[in-house]
């Protein structure tokens, strides 16, 4: 679990802001939920036999003896809240959320015990257009962030019925090849055979190459649905590859699943995962309601944005005001107020009155401009502007200051 320090947070805020803008553009509204839910909610939704529920949840008894867990993901809680507040009755709903999630995993680069997700959920639309909408929201976000080179993988898991048949075929195949299975896969063969498909074990990877493909087991409606998803992605120019081994680690998915990956982050290469989960609402006690969503892993995306230098300059301040006397301070304070009203960020010097030490502080603050109000400036109703990137300076009259500073900030990076 990591502290998030001011230096890192500029990139986080850049991402949060961009995501909230894109989500709003698609008609999604924010929802905020508790980080603690009843354990049973996660067991019923994510699945008893999944890694998350079996071994990764932070679970405890509270003072009433209720068994609670820190949320390992947000979808289950969103469905719980939508049902509890009656938001799903014959209604189309589009929501987004962000916040910390908790999984007791083996910590490593890109895998933490408290991590953050930002994601969306949409309810009441069974059509392939929704799958494509949520996928295109992510690709719109990458464009907004300036991120290129990430890859989209998609697959389908079919309907719950076709999945039963597929599951049987997989069990038969793995039973016949038990010798090649590692201990983990042998265990999964009993509990959750689909997960053997995304095993990282070398022998199992080899075995998986000839494993039955879900595509052969789809019912007609699921096949048509998947074909339409692919057609619309192609029309939108969103490239993808079909990965028949993509099953995702949570039980509630049906039909389309997808993941965005990068080759810049080492083994923890998935930055976003999602898909359709048409049976979850009913499973949690509501009327059958189709749904789809995704979650972006924020630590990984921030790391990627940093590697790609897409967060640079984001923490820069615009202006630092250097003022060397009481009279200059008064003018400086009201200029600062005026500039902030105009949307410019301004740090007013506090403390040390020496000119040199204030300029040093201006340099260290990351500001792009220092505005100097000294004796000369006071007498001539002017301000000296020092461009902190190259040390050049010039003097302008107080009346022109705002226009001058604004146009400098607008026209330079
Ligand atoms: P999931 O909820 O497992 O589908 O994960 C969605 C995304 O959250 C993944 O693609 C990762 O980017 C991110 N994620 C999942 N688990 C972790 C973790 N333990 N630490 C950091 N990021 C994670």
């Amino acid at each position: 679990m990591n502290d998030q320090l001011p230096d890192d947070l500029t990139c986080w805020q850049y991402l949060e802001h961009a995501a909230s803008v894109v989500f709003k553009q698609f008609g999604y509204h924010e929802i905020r939920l508790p980080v603690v839910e009843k354990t049973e909610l996660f067991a019923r939704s994510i699945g008893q036999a999944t890694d998350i529920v079996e071994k990764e949840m932070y679970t405890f008894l509270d003072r009433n003896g209720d068994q609670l867990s820190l949320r390992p993901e947000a979808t289950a809680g969103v469905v719980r809240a939508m049902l509890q507040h009656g938001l799903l009755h014959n209604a189309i709903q589009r929501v987004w959320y962000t916040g910390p999630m908790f999984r007791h995993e083996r910590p490593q680069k890109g895998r933490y015990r408290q991590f953050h997700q930002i994601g969306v959920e949409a309810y009441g639309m069974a059509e392939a257009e929704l799958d494509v909408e949520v996928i295109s929201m992510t690709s719109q976000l990458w464009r907004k962030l300036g991120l290129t080179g990430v890859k989209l993988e998609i697959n389908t898991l079919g309907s719950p019925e076709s999945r039963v048949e597929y599951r049987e075929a997989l069990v038969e195949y793995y039973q016949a090849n038990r010798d090649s299975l590692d201990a983990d896969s042998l265990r999964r063969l009993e509990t959750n055979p689909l997960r053997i498909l995304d095993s990282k074990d070398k022998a199992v990877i080899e075995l998986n190459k000839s494993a039955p493909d879900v595509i052969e087991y789809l019912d007609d409606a699921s096949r048509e649905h998947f074909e339409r998803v692919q057609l619309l992605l192609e029309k939108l120019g969103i490239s993808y590859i079909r990965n028949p081994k993509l099953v995702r680690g949570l039980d509630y998915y049906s039909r389309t699943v997808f993941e965005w990956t990068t080759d810049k982050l080492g083994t923890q290469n998935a930055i976003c995962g999602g898909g359709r989960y048409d049976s979850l609402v009913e499973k949690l006690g509501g009327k059958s309601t189709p749904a789809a969503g995704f979650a972006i892993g924020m630590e990984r995306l921030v790391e990627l944005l940093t590697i790609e230098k897409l967060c640079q300059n984001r923490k820069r301040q615009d202006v630092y005001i250097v003022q060397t006397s009481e009279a200059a301070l008064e003018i400086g304070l009201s200029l600062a107020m005026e500039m902030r009203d105009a949307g410019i960020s301004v740090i007013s010097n506090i403390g040390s009155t020496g000119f040199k030490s204030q300029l040093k502080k201006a340099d260290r603050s990351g500001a792009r401009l220092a505005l100097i109000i000294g004796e000369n400036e006071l007498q001539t109703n002017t301000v000296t502007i020092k461009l902190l990137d190259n040390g050049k300076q010039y003097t302008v009259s107080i009346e022109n200051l705002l226009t001058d500073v604004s146009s400098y900030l607008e026209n330079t990076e």
Side-chain angles (χ1 to χ4, degrees), residues 194-208:
L194 261 74
R195 289 302 312 278
I196 302 178
L197 286 172
D198 63 11
S199 166
K200 303 279 181 288
D201 182 84
K202 267 200 185 130
V204 182
I205 291 177
E206 214 30 58
L207 182 64
N208 279 337

Side-chain angles (χ1 to χ4, degrees), residues 56 103 105-112 115 150 200 259-272 297-304 307:
E56 293 171 1
R103 295 182 196 174
E105 302 194 77
R106 190 170 63 79
Q108 53 194 289
K109 193 169 176 300
R111 194 168 279 285
Y112 310 102
F115 62 98
V150 283
K200 303 279 181 288
E259 214 159 68
W260 285 93
T261 58
T262 166
D263 50 19
K264 303 264 167 61
L265 294 180
T267 42
Q268 305 308 322
N269 64 350
I271 54 165
C272 171
M298 297 178 76
E299 278 77 2
R300 294 187 197 172
L301 183 51
V302 164
E303 174 75 15
L304 184 58
I307 292 173

Side-chain angles (χ1 to χ4, degrees), residues 318 342 344 368 403-413:
D318 299 327
I344 296 167
R368 297 166 63 192
T403 336
D404 217 272
V405 167
S406 303
S407 83
Y408 175 81
L409 293 172
E410 264 163 38
N411 296 322
T412 49
E413 254 307 307

Side-chain angles (χ1 to χ4, degrees), residues 296-314:
I296 292 170
M298 297 178 76
E299 278 77 2
R300 294 187 197 172
L301 183 51
V302 164
E303 174 75 15
L304 184 58
L305 293 173
T306 309
I307 292 173
E308 301 284 12
K309 300 194 174 18
L310 294 169
C311 286
Q312 273 182 341
N313 290 333
R314 304 266 163 216

Side-chain angles (χ1 to χ4, degrees), residues 142-352:
W142 312 150
R143 274 204 301 285
K144 188 167 178 67
L145 293 166
L147 187 63
T148 51
V150 283
K151 288 193 201 80
L152 174 64
E153 296 180 12
I154 63 170
N155 194 18
T156 178
L157 300 175
S159 63
E161 299 77 40
S162 66
R163 209 154 127 183
V164 172
E165 241 181 273
Y166 179 50
R167 189 188 149 111
E168 278 166 15
L170 277 180
V171 169
E172 198 177 314
Y173 176 74
Y174 290 128
Q175 286 290 12
N177 294 281
R178 278 184 83 89
D179 295 352
S180 310
L181 295 181
D182 63 330
D184 216 28
S185 301
L186 282 171
R187 196 175 50 80
R188 284 184 168 148
L189 187 53
E190 306 302 325
T191 55
N192 197 350
L194 261 74
R195 289 302 312 278
I196 302 178
L197 286 172
D198 63 11
S199 166
K200 303 279 181 288
D201 182 84
K202 267 200 185 130
V204 182
I205 291 177
E206 214 30 58
L207 182 64
N208 279 337
K209 286 186 180 155
S210 321
D213 185 336
V214 66
I215 230 64
E216 310 293 333
Y217 295 83
L218 293 182
D219 53 291
D220 288 346
S222 295
R223 184 189 313 278
E224 277 162 28
H225 185 97
F226 193 48
E227 276 164 9
R228 183 149 176 80
V229 168
Q230 297 176 76
L231 176 84
L232 292 176
L233 287 176
E234 277 149 33
K235 295 248 182 249
L236 274 173
I238 299 177
S239 6
Y240 63 87
I241 48 168
R242 178 177 170 242
N243 174 0
K245 308 284 178 298
L246 180 68
V247 292
R248 316 258 310 117
L250 305 89
D251 268 6
Y252 51 63
Y253 287 110
S254 52
R255 296 199 166 166
T256 317
V257 288
F258 66 93
E259 214 159 68
W260 285 93
T261 58
T262 166
D263 50 19
K264 303 264 167 61
L265 294 180
T267 42
Q268 305 308 322
N269 64 350
I271 54 165
C272 171
R276 182 169 271 288
Y277 52 98
D278 290 342
S279 44
L280 183 59
V281 175
E282 196 174 5
K283 207 166 171 186
L284 293 180
K287 276 205 209 119
S288 168
T289 308
F294 65 76
I296 292 170
M298 297 178 76
E299 278 77 2
R300 294 187 197 172
L301 183 51
V302 164
E303 174 75 15
L304 184 58
L305 293 173
T306 309
I307 292 173
E308 301 284 12
K309 300 194 174 18
L310 294 169
C311 286
Q312 273 182 341
N313 290 333
R314 304 266 163 216
K315 62 171 173 274
R316 297 209 66 176
Q317 288 288 323
D318 299 327
V319 168
Y320 191 104
I321 300 194
V322 172
Q323 54 232 346
T324 53
S325 65
E326 180 65 22
L329 175 80
E330 284 168 17
I331 292 180
L333 286 177
S334 61
L335 284 176
M337 190 168 67
E338 209 181 309
M339 282 188 278
R340 291 187 193 115
D341 281 341
I344 296 167
S345 64
V346 185
I347 302 176
S348 282
N349 183 73
I350 293 185
S352 52

